[in-house]
Amino acid sequence: FSRWGGYLGIDYEWRNFLVMYPYPNVAYNKIHAIVPAVGVRYRLINPLNEIQGVPFNIVLEGGISYVINTHYDNNEGYGLEALNNGARPMIGVAITTNRFGSIHLRWSKDSFDLFNSGYEAAKGFLNNNIIHNNFSCISIGWALFL
């Protein structure tokens, strides 16, 4: 065992949100994405203790993922070309067990604008191309080891 390790993963992401521009105009947005991720892990407690019977460890994590949007549904008629794909750095902490896998809490922040500023919309909230945004989120997950 080593204090240092790595992880690979892939998530399926579904976002559902509203954009108001100006009130009372509302745009409903549903986005589906595939998000592969890679990162490093560092065990705070000496891993030799796990061999001697300590059933858990606390692990710090850092990594990066890449958002690949696969479906965009909205009431404005925009297609996937209205969205950008991009990188998302992540940091987190996990409780790892030698029997039940790992439960993690991660924070991630999009490093890209979700909406494509070059997209030419005839109507709706992207019509003036002044929306700039990026999202962040906190996620909780359970990972099993192979």
Side-chain angles (χ1 to χ4, degrees):
F1 282 148
S2 168
R3 284 189 185 260
W4 289 97
Y7 67 89
L8 294 170
I10 190 163
D11 292 329
Y12 177 78
E13 185 174 278
W14 175 69
R15 297 187 221 184
N16 187 10
F17 60 93
L18 299 173
V19 174
M20 293 200 286
Y21 64 100
Y23 183 82
N25 296 321
V26 176
Y28 298 92
N29 298 272
K30 292 181 182 175
I31 300 172
H32 299 253
I34 300 294
V35 186
V38 62
V40 295
R41 307 179 87 211
Y42 180 77
R43 296 171 188 242
L44 291 179
I45 300 171
N46 188 340
L48 293 177
N49 292 346
E50 293 178 55
I51 294 172
Q52 297 170 356
V54 176
F56 70 93
N57 206 329
I58 300 168
V59 182
L60 301 179
E61 301 178 336
I64 191 160
S65 61
Y66 191 80
V67 179
I68 304 165
N69 296 303
T70 59
H71 179 77
Y72 183 31
D73 185 27
N74 61 75
N75 59 330
E76 300 293 349
Y78 303 155
L80 271 176
E81 60 275 1
L83 302 178
N84 291 317
N85 299 325
R88 179 185 287 163
M90 300 180 299
I91 57 171
V93 63
I95 303 294
T96 300
T97 68
N98 53 13
R99 181 177 259 180
F100 301 109
S102 176
I103 296 178
H104 58 264
L105 177 68
R106 292 182 182 150
W107 176 79
S108 61
K109 174 122 177 98
D110 289 355
S111 62
F112 61 98
D113 282 336
L114 176 62
F115 296 107
N116 181 356
S117 63
Y119 180 73
E120 294 186 22
K123 62 177 183 163
F125 65 96
L126 289 180
N127 188 29
N128 56 15
N129 281 327
I130 61 170
I131 291 182
H132 298 285
N133 66 302
N134 51 34
F135 293 104
S136 65
C137 75
I138 296 175
S139 62
I140 299 171
W142 176 38
L144 297 175
F145 305 117
L146 300 176

